[in-house]
Amino acid sequence: MIFSLKGIVQELTPTYVVIEVNGVGYYVGISLQTSQRLSLGKEVFLFTQQIIREDAHLLFGFYTKEEKEMFNLLISVNGVGAVSALILLSSLDLKDIAQAILNKNSALLQKVKGIGAKTAERIIVDLRDKVEKFGVSTENISAFADNKVKEESLSALEVLGIPKKMSEKIADRILKQNPDLQTEELVKQILKTI
């Protein structure tokens, strides 16, 4: 089992990297998050996950141990393959994935290419008890659950001609104090503040 690789980046794309270790080039599948942290010709250390199938020996690399842990959790879900897991890790931050799972936000997971409604639900059911360590506290859940309220409020205010950037900061401040506000109430409070 190849646990990690330390070597020079020989070739780099958004989806894979070739790392030369003592004259041997390793082809490693990576996420966009990992790709953005690597530089051609520079030394790198990656945590790796080796997957051996009948038809292929695959190697996946991760810049952080947490990303590798999330990858392994995702591929443990029936119906989520290594490629789908990498696409998920490329599309969303670790905290966003964990938050979506804890909040049962299957709509966010379904926005990722290759993740359908059934797979998103399976990810939520299978991983709900396993993702809290990714820097997501359960106290934050109500604030994130109100994201829909915030988005609806900001859209309504934009229709009224109020710039999103201006109203977003105010919305965050108000929701921090009153996380249970509904859209209508939040719009009213933002308008009073402006």
Side-chain angles (χ1 to χ4, degrees), residues 137-157:
S137 66
T138 38
E139 294 100 60
N140 289 347
I141 286 181
S142 63
F144 279 91
D146 287 326
N147 244 352
K148 188 178 176 205
V149 169
K150 179 180 151 186
E151 288 305 314
E152 286 172 356
S153 302
L154 296 180
S155 295
L157 289 164

Side-chain angles (χ1 to χ4, degrees), residues 53-71:
R53 297 193 319 224
E54 250 179 62
D55 59 341
H57 288 229
L58 305 169
L59 198 56
F60 298 95
F62 311 94
Y63 198 78
T64 64
K65 212 172 196 166
E66 290 75 28
E67 191 184 15
K68 178 182 175 178
E69 286 173 17
M70 181 63 86
F71 175 83

Side-chain angles (χ1 to χ4, degrees), residues 36-64:
Q36 290 169 344
R37 293 171 149 185
L38 306 181
S39 303
L40 210 54
K42 297 269 196 259
E43 188 173 69
V44 67
F45 176 88
L46 288 183
F47 294 97
T48 57
Q49 181 61 50
Q50 190 175 15
I51 297 177
I52 298 172
R53 297 193 319 224
E54 250 179 62
D55 59 341
H57 288 229
L58 305 169
L59 198 56
F60 298 95
F62 311 94
Y63 198 78
T64 64

Side-chain angles (χ1 to χ4, degrees), residues 23-120:
V24 179
Y26 290 89
Y27 180 99
V28 185
I30 53 174
S31 71
L32 206 51
Q33 286 183 43
T34 293
S35 174
Q36 290 169 344
R37 293 171 149 185
L38 306 181
S39 303
L40 210 54
K42 297 269 196 259
E43 188 173 69
V44 67
F45 176 88
L46 288 183
F47 294 97
T48 57
Q49 181 61 50
Q50 190 175 15
I51 297 177
I52 298 172
R53 297 193 319 224
E54 250 179 62
D55 59 341
H57 288 229
L58 305 169
L59 198 56
F60 298 95
F62 311 94
Y63 198 78
T64 64
K65 212 172 196 166
E66 290 75 28
E67 191 184 15
K68 178 182 175 178
E69 286 173 17
M70 181 63 86
F71 175 83
N72 283 324
L73 284 175
L74 289 168
I75 63 171
S76 73
V77 176
N78 192 7
V80 180
V83 174
S84 296
L86 276 188
I87 293 171
L88 245 168
L89 290 169
S90 294
S91 307
L92 300 169
D93 287 341
L94 294 181
K95 280 187 180 181
D96 292 340
I97 296 171
Q99 199 70 59
I101 292 167
L102 286 171
N103 289 334
K104 303 177 187 169
N105 185 351
S106 68
L108 181 63
L109 297 175
Q110 285 176 60
K111 285 182 181 175
V112 176
K113 184 179 175 240
I115 304 290
K118 282 183 181 173
T119 306

Side-chain angles (χ1 to χ4, degrees), residues 170-189:
I170 299 166
D172 288 339
R173 199 170 57 235
I174 293 169
L175 283 172
K176 211 174 245 183
Q177 294 165 347
N178 304 308
D180 300 324
L181 280 181
Q182 294 305 308
T183 306
E184 197 176 311
E185 201 51 47
L186 181 59
V187 170
K188 284 179 188 172
Q189 292 215 21

Side-chain angles (χ1 to χ4, degrees), residues 125-142:
V125 170
D126 290 3
L127 303 183
R128 195 175 314 131
D129 302 333
K130 300 173 183 173
V131 294
E132 281 187 18
K133 64 180 168 200
F134 291 95
V136 181
S137 66
T138 38
E139 294 100 60
N140 289 347
I141 286 181
S142 63

